[in-house]
Amino acid sequence: MTSSNKSAVDIAHVYRGTFVHSTDHTAVEILEDRLLGVDTEGKIAFIGSGQEVDSLSQKWGFEALAVTQLGQYEFFMPGMVDTHIHASQYSYAGTALDLPLLQWLNTYTFPVEACYKDLEFARNVYTHVVKRTLRNGTTTACYFATIHTDASLLLGQIANDFGQRALVGKVCMDTNNFVPHYRETPDESHDETNRFISEMLKKKYPLVMPVVTPRFALSCSAALLGHLGEIAKNNHLHIQSHISETKEEVKLVKELFPDYDSYTDVYHKHNLLTDKTVMAHGCHLTDEELKLFREKGASVAHCPNSNISLCSGMLDARRVLNHKVKLGLGTDVAGGYSPSMLDAVRRTLDTSKALTIQDPQYQTLTFEEVFRLATLGGSQALSLDEHTGNFQVGKDFDALRVNTAIAGGPIDLINHGEGPKVLLEKFLNLGDDRNIAEVYVAGKRVVPFVETT
Ligand SMILES: Nc1nc2[nH]cnc2c(=O)[nH]1
Ligand SMILES: [Zn+2]
């Protein structure tokens, strides 16, 4: 309290330098020499001009000398949002990419996921995946765990302990003929989902929430889908699943659910297509299905590494955007081999360019648009954009301090005095975790890690 006209809000930190983010109107907005104040709740309290440091320090009651000044080659950008990642598959990320989806699930995925009955195995993998994704700049992750309630709760606890914003799903599946020891009965799935949700909500984690998670239509009976839709509806919960990833899967869903208009209709008729639903992939969705997505406010998680690695298809992201369906990016570890959202950005651009090679009239995504998908778009896809996604006063400060000139890093800045737009483009295309000097979630610095293990 240094001044009588000081605001009622207490300021915890003030940063000065370049801030790069997206808005609904501008894919990349560059704010140079700004002061950004974060309050003690971790929210952005003000954004002003660096020139106004004296008047702002009086108004907000902070010491001008306590301002953290960014270097010439540094900028803050919003933390990235991974809208689809299987934490449980991280143990074999980077391997086992030689089979198409359904064989891949039976051969590699289900046998590994069955191991999460063992809580110590789960603790080890989940600690690694949370740390790795945070270090890579994923401030928000939407996780699939496994069918095991206690291990899924443990993932939530670990995300909370490391300060990551997360949606965590206990996977539900009552159909699995190939690996029968990795499935539940419909009653088990229903009861354990209820237990998972109530136990997680009891923890009152500030940034970690449960998400209802039917694996996909081929793993769930209609009865189970119905139960899960009811649970989500009664508790106003997020929902995540997979849809139209491969043509073979779409064909089998048609055979298994002959009375529905489409794959999307299967989820819709079970109350699983809402404005808090995120569906991974959607490579083979029809225009009618995208219209239903738009109508319901459901979103698509674009997972280009996985789509290419498992030869599933190529999502036409431009078509999804033209339908005004919310779109985010996902790593889909381990169908996607990389746990880095920077990789998801690059593979999104590659896919868009591959579509352009096939059709030169195609409107290729720009790097600016893909930056928005990785940040604001992801937050909208997860219906978390009230809290995160860009630097708007009132939102939580979820941010990466990027240093493009870090010693020993992957970027050589040969042309001196490059502007921030070029630095952003270089970071997105060439950068890695060495360039991510600090990561903040809800105002708290979570990278570098404080603990030593
Ligand atoms: N990529 C991917 N697709 C799925 N469809 C159902 N389960 C999965 C999964 O674990 N990974
Ligand atoms: Zn997936």
Side-chain angles (χ1 to χ4, degrees), residues 386-397:
E386 245 182 72
H387 305 287
T388 187
N390 64 0
F391 298 129
Q392 197 178 305
V393 169
K395 287 194 185 185
D396 288 359
F397 185 62

Side-chain angles (χ1 to χ4, degrees), residues 216-289:
F216 69 155
L218 295 183
S219 295
C220 298
S221 63
L224 177 56
L225 292 174
H227 284 321
L228 297 176
E230 280 301 300
I231 292 174
K233 194 167 153 185
N234 295 337
N235 300 281
H236 310 288
L237 292 172
H238 284 84
I239 298 162
Q240 64 177 346
S241 191
H242 298 87
I243 196 165
S244 296
E245 183 173 355
T246 72
K247 287 189 174 164
E248 188 190 10
E249 170 202 358
V250 174
K251 184 167 165 278
L252 287 172
V253 170
K254 228 177 233 147
E255 286 169 19
L256 209 59
F257 295 90
D259 299 332
Y260 295 80
D261 294 341
S262 64
Y263 197 160
T264 304
D265 192 44
V266 173
Y267 291 130
H268 171 51
K269 293 265 164 65
H270 292 100
N271 292 313
L272 291 165
L273 201 73
T274 75
D275 60 1
K276 291 175 91 174
T277 296
V278 58
M279 289 285 168
H281 304 293
C283 302
H284 307 286
L285 289 171
T286 63
D287 285 335
E288 283 64 40
E289 289 180 286

Side-chain angles (χ1 to χ4, degrees), residues 84-86 89 144 215 241-242 245 280-281 303 306 332-333:
H84 185 80
I85 171 167
H86 296 260
Q89 296 171 15
F144 271 61
R215 179 167 214 121
S241 191
H242 298 87
E245 183 173 355
H281 304 293
C303 306
S306 170
D332 194 28
V333 164

Side-chain angles (χ1 to χ4, degrees), residues 105-123:
L105 286 171
N106 292 330
T107 309
Y108 303 118
T109 306
F110 296 151
V112 168
E113 288 193 15
C115 299
Y116 286 74
K117 214 177 146 136
D118 175 348
L119 281 180
E120 282 321 300
F121 179 80
R123 184 187 303 281

Side-chain angles (χ1 to χ4, degrees), residues 159-203:
N160 176 70
D161 288 349
F162 281 95
Q164 190 171 47
R165 189 185 300 278
L167 292 170
V168 176
K170 171 224 163 305
V171 172
C172 296
M173 49 192 284
D174 62 349
T175 313
N176 181 1
N177 293 332
F178 288 90
V179 187
H181 64 279
Y182 187 57
R183 73 174 177 216
E184 313 157 286
T185 66
D187 283 350
E188 270 166 1
S189 194
H190 169 263
D191 295 350
E192 286 298 295
T193 295
N194 274 330
R195 180 165 82 85
F196 172 71
I197 291 161
S198 73
E199 299 243 333
M200 180 160 290
L201 293 178
K202 242 192 267 164
K203 303 280 184 190

Side-chain angles (χ1 to χ4, degrees), residues 46 53 131 200 316:
F46 66 84
V53 61
K131 291 180 76 173
M200 180 160 290
D316 182 344

